Amino acid sequence: MSWIPFKIGQPKKQIVPKTVERDFEREYGKLQQLEEQTRRLQKDMKKSTDADLAMSKSAVKISLDLLSNPLCEQDQDFLNMVTALDTAMKRMDAFNQEKVNQIQKTVIEPLKKFGSVFPSLNMAVKRREQALQDYRRLQAKVEKYEEKEKTGPVLAKLHQAREELRPVRDDFEAKNKQLLDEMPRFYNSRLDYFQPSFESLIRAQVVYYSEMHKIFGDLTQQLDQPGCPDEQRERENEARLSELRALSIVADD
């Protein structure tokens, strides 16, 4: 949110105290920062959930590709291993979808709704700024007639200018007071508004990773071969790879 003040002549009288202007700019600046943070957080949360879904969908796709590998038809042990992996990936995908749905409902949607109020706030600030410009313009007009020789026509115009100024001044002061009262209240409300969302996000992540621990714990028990440590598997794989490299069809020229 931002506005650009109109470039007009300024009255000699300080119609808005500098402390009031500083207070307004400070409170409005905090809301501008909050708007940007809300927009960025919503965007990042959407990217995160999209990436989570893509990850689990890719994992399911890989396990399905392995199931269609001809090796599964030739080796029952390998088929059993891949079937266990496929089951685990589908369970992971299901829990991941639940987590994403929960985050969408309790975090992303509230962020979106919270962000939707800023355009109205921005418009209120613009109306306040327009009222201030009108106030300054009419105050300068009053000052112009006050500085002239007090003839009958000048006094009539001065009276008319003051009558025009009064409702404009009252309108600005009302708008200014309302914003100075409500902007801090709106800013402070963010804690009560977002705390349930962030608590829900934490709970969703805890539930998801707790389930992942169970799923991959079960998968580990199914895949682990007793008496066959990782170092031995690595040596066996290297030996098989050396045999493949020795074949004439893959030998370097």
Side-chain angles (χ1 to χ4, degrees):
M1 296 185 302
S2 62
W3 85 95
I4 302 176
F6 299 97
K7 301 296 184 180
I8 64 172
Q10 300 295 317
K12 295 179 181 179
K13 179 181 177 181
Q14 181 72 38
I15 59 177
V16 181
K18 292 182 179 180
T19 55
V20 173
E21 277 298 306
R22 284 197 298 267
D23 289 345
F24 183 87
E25 291 174 2
R26 182 188 66 250
E27 296 301 328
Y28 186 50
K30 287 159 62 177
L31 291 178
Q32 287 179 299
Q33 185 179 34
L34 178 60
E35 180 188 23
E36 176 58 28
Q37 291 172 338
T38 303
R39 183 189 300 114
R40 186 166 59 247
L41 182 57
Q42 179 187 345
K43 183 178 179 181
D44 290 343
M45 288 301 305
K46 184 64 168 61
K47 284 183 178 180
S48 176
T49 54
D50 287 348
D52 281 351
L53 284 177
M55 177 275 297
S56 62
K57 298 298 182 187
S58 296
V60 171
K61 177 66 167 56
I62 290 172
S63 65
L64 288 174
D65 288 344
L66 288 173
L67 278 176
S68 64
N69 192 297
L71 283 175
C72 287
E73 301 175 2
Q74 303 170 13
D75 190 322
Q76 184 62 42
D77 290 339
F78 184 68
L79 175 60
N80 293 340
M81 183 183 300
V82 174
T83 301
L85 174 66
D86 183 60
T87 300
M89 295 303 98
K90 288 177 179 176
R91 289 174 64 194
M92 178 183 72
D93 185 47
F95 280 111
N96 194 34
Q97 185 66 62
E98 289 182 11
K99 179 193 71 174
V100 168
N101 290 342
Q102 180 74 4
I103 292 174
Q104 177 68 34
K105 179 180 178 181
T106 61
V107 182
I108 297 178
E109 286 300 324
L111 280 169
K112 184 177 180 181
K113 290 177 181 178
F114 189 81
S116 69
V117 306
F118 286 101
S120 297
L121 175 61
N122 186 32
M123 186 57 63
V125 171
K126 286 184 177 180
R127 287 194 292 265
R128 183 258 190 194
E129 180 62 24
Q130 180 60 61
L132 177 58
Q133 301 309 321
D134 293 340
Y135 184 9
R136 285 171 173 163
R137 174 176 56 80
L138 290 174
Q139 178 63 36
K141 184 177 180 181
V142 168
E143 291 176 0
K144 181 182 70 173
Y145 289 122
E146 287 177 337
E147 293 173 354
K148 289 187 176 183
E149 184 180 353
K150 300 301 185 291
T151 63
V154 169
L155 290 174
K157 291 181 180 180
L158 175 60
H159 176 74
Q160 181 181 356
R162 285 172 174 170
E163 289 298 309
E164 292 176 358
L165 174 63
R166 186 177 300 108
V168 172
R169 180 187 60 220
D170 293 345
D171 179 56
F172 165 76
E173 290 178 349
K175 286 182 170 61
N176 188 61
K177 183 179 185 303
Q178 182 182 30
L179 282 168
L180 284 174
D181 288 344
E182 294 185 1
M183 285 193 299
R185 289 164 53 191
F186 178 80
Y187 183 79
N188 293 332
S189 73
R190 74 198 189 284
L191 300 176
D192 292 335
Y193 183 86
F194 284 123
Q195 184 172 342
S197 292
F198 296 147
E199 289 177 353
S200 178
L201 172 63
I202 294 170
R203 285 194 296 269
Q205 296 284 11
V206 169
V207 170
Y208 173 75
Y209 285 106
S210 296
E211 292 298 334
M212 292 306 99
H213 179 74
K214 296 177 184 177
I215 289 172
F216 285 96
D218 293 343
L219 181 61
T220 299
Q221 292 180 2
Q222 295 178 64
L223 299 185
D224 269 353
Q225 300 176 18
C228 186
D230 290 341
E231 293 80 1
Q232 182 178 339
R233 292 195 187 103
E234 184 175 351
R235 288 194 298 270
E236 291 175 355
N237 286 339
E238 285 295 330
R240 295 188 185 102
L241 183 59
S242 296
E243 292 175 1
L244 292 174
R245 287 172 174 165
L247 296 176
S248 60
I249 58 174
V250 296
D252 295 334
D253 293 335

